[in-house]
């Protein structure tokens, strides 16, 4: 394994997580052992001390009955009864000289002589063995005749128990460390699975350019699962946007081809035919009309994009909707008269909202244009507006053919034109622009339509966008 590879592994989140898991597991096991060891050691010590104190009281009672002889008798009795002697017993005179001394045979390596030099007090005396680590713990008590009684116990058995505990711990610690490392690795591997799948999906998308890949979710409800769900949702939205852009581009290309072909045809005809000044002027006028149509389409597309992305600069000011509607109706008076359509208006005189006058006029003009365009001759169009506490609602109702329910979601799309509307003039951009402008004012537009009866487009505008 090269050094660079090891370096790379060291920097991975998986390695760090494994390290953390293992370290926490191993340190917790060590801490647990430490606490258990301290508790065991102190409880053993306390038990030894209690036994020594109890013996002190026993032998003092014996001493009271018959002095050193009574203690000796008691020891002999215990010996014949088969009880092992596990205590050090010493009776010291008033000057701390040993009057009686008994010690188990196997404890021969303590310097008992030194006891005569140690002052007898109520505390514990610790006498270290000459050759090993054993300690003789001794407690003292005063006797009624001015002498002192000392009882002691070797810590050897206690140390043996603690030693076996330490050995057992070392034996257990090896599998615990292995479990910590491998368990940590397994947990880190499992926890990072969604991240690996995420990386895999992003790599696949980058390599193939196909945005339809999704990261599998585990339905665990944890943060990583939420991240995966959000990532998939984001991919879904990007996919819809890209597909929408592709469709728009296809439609624009398709819709541009017809006028451009017509333009070229007109220019070719003008060049091939009799090139009188009238012919040329006529051809140029046709070309101008066609190029204006193309320009209008491109400008409207730009306006829609700007409004949808929020880049459209709105010149907000108080606008009297009634006045604006009057202007729009006036603008289309001749078109309505031409088709013998009755335009009925109903709105209060003063109806103010904060809006961009020019953009709002553009949107309402598009709606009235459609209402007049799609209503048959002799029909009726109604333009109404009402004020509500939070918003103003403008309704434009017509007596046209209506819109089939399955077409309603599509009419707001760019360049969409209904099947029955192909015979009418239009670019299929009017409603997209209306929707985008109204949305830029933080409002919304709805349609209620009944085929064969007519349609009603409602613009909801907040009083303050
Ligand atoms: P255009 O009118 O140029 O075709 P629009 O974006 O304004 O484009 O409208 C999209 C489609 O919605 C129209 O082609 C038509 O099918 C339908 N539509 C819009 N307004 C009306 C209406 N008032 N009555 C019936 N159909 C309508």
């Amino acid at each position: 394994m090269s050094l660079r590879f090891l370096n790379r592994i060291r920097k991975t989140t998986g390695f760090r997580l494994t390290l953390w898991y293992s370290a926490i597991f191993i340190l917790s096991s060590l801490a647990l052992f430490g606490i258990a060891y301290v508790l065991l050691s102190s409880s053993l010590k306390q038990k030894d001390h209690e036994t020594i104190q109890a013996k002190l009281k026993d032998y003092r009672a014996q001493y009271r009955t018959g002095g050193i002889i009574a203690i000796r008798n008691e020891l002999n009795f215990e010996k014949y009864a088969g009880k092992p002697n596990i205590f050090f017993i010493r009776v010291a005179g008033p000057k701390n000289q040993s009057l009686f001394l008994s010690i188990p045979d196997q404890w021969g390596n303590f310097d008992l002589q030194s006891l005569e030099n140690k002052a007898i007090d109520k505390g514990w005396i610790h006498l270290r063995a000459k050759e090993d680590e054993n300690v003789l713990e001794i407690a003292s008590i005063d006797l009624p005749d001015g002498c002192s009684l000392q009882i002691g116990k070797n810590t050897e058995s206690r140390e043996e128990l603690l030693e076996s505990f330490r050995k057992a711990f070392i034996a257990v610690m090896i599998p615990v460390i292995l479990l910590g490392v491998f368990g940590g690795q397994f947990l880190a591997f499992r926890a990072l699975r969604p991240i690996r799948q995420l990386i895999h999906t992003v790599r696949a998308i980058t390599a193939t350019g196909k945005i339809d890949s999704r990261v599998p979710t585990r339905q665990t409800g944890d943060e990583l699962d939420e991240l995966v769900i959000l990532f998939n949702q984001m991919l879904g939205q990007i996919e819809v946007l890209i597909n929408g852009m592709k469709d728009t581009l296809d439609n624009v290309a398709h819709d541009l081809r017809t006028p451009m072909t017509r333009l070229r045809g007109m220019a070719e005809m003008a060049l091939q035919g009799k090139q009188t000044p009238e012919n040329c002027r006529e051809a140029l006028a046709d070309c101008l009309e066609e190029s204006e149509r193309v320009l209008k389409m491109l400008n409207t597309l730009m306006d829609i994009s700007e409004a949808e992305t929020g880049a459209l600069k709105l010149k907000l000011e108080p606008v009297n909707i009634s006045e604006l509607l009057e202007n729009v109706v006036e603008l289309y008076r001749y078109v309505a008269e031409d088709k013998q359509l009755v335009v009925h208006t109903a709105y209060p005189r003063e109806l103010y909202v904060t809006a961009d006058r020019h953009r709002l006029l553009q949107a309402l003009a598009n709606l009235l244009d459609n209402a007049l365009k799609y209503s048959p001759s002799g029909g009726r169009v109604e333009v109404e507006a009402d004020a509500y506490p939070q918003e103003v609602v403008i309704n434009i109702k017509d007596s046209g053919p209506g819109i089939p329910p399955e077409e309603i979601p599509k009419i707001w799309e760019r360049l969409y034109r209904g099947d029955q509307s192909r015979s009418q003039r239009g670019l299929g951009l009017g409603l997209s622009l209306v929707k985008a402008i109204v949305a830029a004012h933080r409002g919304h537009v709805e349609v209620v339509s009944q085929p064969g009866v007519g349609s009603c487009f409602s613009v909801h505008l907040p009083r303050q966008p």
Side-chain angles (χ1 to χ4, degrees):
M1 256 187 278
S2 73
L3 206 68
R4 204 190 298 163
F5 178 73
L6 280 178
N7 234 350
R8 222 177 54 211
I9 292 260
R10 206 167 52 83
K11 284 183 189 156
T12 59
T13 314
F15 178 77
R16 284 185 207 163
L17 269 182
T18 307
L19 214 65
W20 273 107
Y21 278 136
S22 322
I24 290 173
F25 188 67
I26 293 166
L27 287 177
S28 325
S29 309
L30 276 173
L32 260 176
F33 165 76
I35 292 168
Y37 184 81
V38 170
L39 284 177
L40 180 70
S41 150
S42 69
S43 84
L44 285 175
K45 190 173 174 183
Q46 194 184 347
K47 204 160 174 292
D48 274 358
H49 286 187
E50 281 168 10
T51 319
I52 293 171
Q53 296 287 3
K55 274 284 167 202
L56 260 182
K57 282 176 192 155
D58 268 10
Y59 283 106
R60 185 173 61 175
Q62 291 291 338
Y63 187 87
R64 272 192 183 137
T65 57
I68 291 176
I69 298 171
I71 293 179
R72 190 171 286 134
N73 287 344
E74 174 67 18
L75 278 173
N76 285 336
F77 176 74
E78 281 180 6
K79 194 173 167 188
Y80 288 125
K83 276 194 188 172
N85 181 18
I86 53 164
F87 293 99
F88 158 81
I89 303 164
R90 177 174 178 255
V91 179
K95 289 188 182 150
N96 197 12
Q97 72 278 26
S98 296
L99 302 177
F100 172 80
L101 199 69
S102 160
I103 184 160
D105 300 338
Q106 64 274 23
W107 298 3
N109 57 356
F110 290 104
D111 180 11
L112 299 175
Q113 200 61 43
S114 66
L115 276 175
E116 298 200 359
N117 306 326
K118 285 187 198 289
I120 296 179
D121 58 19
K122 296 282 170 309
W124 289 89
I125 299 171
H126 292 94
L127 205 62
R128 197 162 285 282
K130 285 183 219 154
E131 288 144 23
D132 50 38
E133 290 291 300
N134 291 335
V135 173
L136 187 58
E137 281 183 328
I138 303 167
S140 316
I141 198 168
D142 291 338
L143 293 171
D145 56 0
C147 296
S148 302
L149 174 67
Q150 290 186 315
I151 305 274
K153 195 170 181 288
N154 194 340
T155 57
E156 189 181 6
S157 58
R158 203 162 85 202
E159 282 307 320
E160 272 172 12
L161 205 73
L162 290 174
E163 174 67 21
S164 352
F165 186 79
R166 285 195 293 268
K167 277 185 185 150
F169 167 73
I170 291 169
V172 167
M173 220 34 214
I174 295 165
V176 163
I177 290 175
L178 289 177
L179 193 75
V181 172
F182 288 114
Q185 209 168 15
F186 173 72
L187 286 177
F189 182 80
R190 258 182 66 122
L192 291 176
R193 191 185 299 159
I195 303 279
R196 279 196 306 278
Q197 285 167 335
L198 210 74
I199 293 172
H200 177 76
T201 308
V202 174
R203 279 216 179 108
I205 291 173
T206 322
T208 60
K210 282 188 186 158
I211 197 110
D212 56 350
S213 316
R214 295 291 178 273
V215 185
T217 52
R218 295 174 304 156
Q219 308 295 341
T220 51
D222 60 13
E223 289 88 343
L224 283 179
D225 207 40
E226 200 180 330
L227 175 74
V228 166
I229 292 170
L230 286 174
F231 182 77
N232 284 343
Q233 280 173 359
M234 191 182 73
L235 280 183
Q237 281 171 0
I238 293 175
E239 192 179 4
V240 169
L241 275 175
I242 290 180
N243 287 343
M245 274 166 59
K246 271 189 196 151
D247 288 352
T248 310
L249 213 65
D250 287 352
N251 289 341
V252 171
H254 179 264
D255 280 45
L256 273 181
R257 193 175 294 149
T258 320
M260 293 318 267
T261 317
R262 262 206 305 263
L263 257 174
R264 200 177 67 183
M266 286 170 197
E268 270 173 6
M269 265 172 58
L271 284 174
Q272 280 165 7
K274 224 173 166 197
Q275 289 170 9
T276 62
E278 287 78 40
N279 283 355
C280 287
R281 189 165 293 128
E282 208 178 308
L284 276 175
D286 287 347
C287 285
L288 201 68
E289 197 183 312
E290 207 56 51
S291 52
E292 249 161 27
R293 203 178 121 83
V294 173
L295 211 61
K296 187 180 168 203
M297 184 171 114
L298 292 176
N299 281 339
T300 316
L301 273 170
M302 293 280 287
D303 281 351
I304 296 171
S305 296
E306 278 185 11
E308 280 179 354
T309 53
L312 189 73
K313 293 262 175 301
L314 293 179
K315 215 176 123 219
L316 294 176
E317 57 184 325
V319 176
N320 187 355
I321 292 290
S322 314
E323 208 180 289
L324 198 74
L325 285 172
E326 254 162 44
N327 291 346
V328 177
V329 171
E330 182 56 31
L331 217 62
Y332 283 88
R333 194 155 62 89
Y334 293 113
V335 180
E337 275 173 14
D338 216 32
K339 264 183 108 175
Q340 288 135 36
L341 292 166
V342 178
V343 179
H344 175 263
T345 56
Y347 33 76
R349 280 186 63 78
E350 306 258 303
L351 203 55
Y352 279 91
V353 290
T354 305
D356 183 317
R357 174 186 294 276
H358 168 68
R359 291 294 176 189
L360 209 53
L361 186 123
Q362 208 180 353
L364 295 173
N366 263 296
L367 288 177
L368 186 62
D369 184 50
N370 277 354
L372 297 173
K373 186 165 73 177
Y374 293 113
S375 290
S377 293
R380 178 185 166 90
V381 170
E382 287 170 35
V383 179
E384 297 166 352
D386 272 314
Y388 295 92
Q390 302 294 333
E391 59 175 14
V392 164
V393 181
I394 304 154
N395 294 318
I396 298 183
K397 238 183 260 179
D398 64 52
S399 50
I403 308 163
E406 66 280 4
E407 271 190 25
I408 286 187
K410 300 183 200 156
I411 58 173
W412 310 101
E413 289 170 14
R414 289 171 219 202
L415 299 165
Y416 177 81
R417 303 211 66 206
D419 284 339
Q420 298 159 4
S421 343
R422 303 268 170 204
S423 53
Q424 300 283 359
R425 68 186 160 80
L427 298 169
L429 290 171
L431 288 182
S432 317
L433 184 64
V434 171
K435 190 180 167 196
I437 290 177
V438 174
H441 283 84
R442 300 196 187 285
H444 65 279
V445 52
E446 299 167 349
V447 61
V448 178
S449 186
Q450 216 181 332
V453 179
S455 314
C456 175
F457 284 84
S458 308
V459 175
H460 295 250
L461 282 176
R463 283 175 175 266
Q464 290 289 338

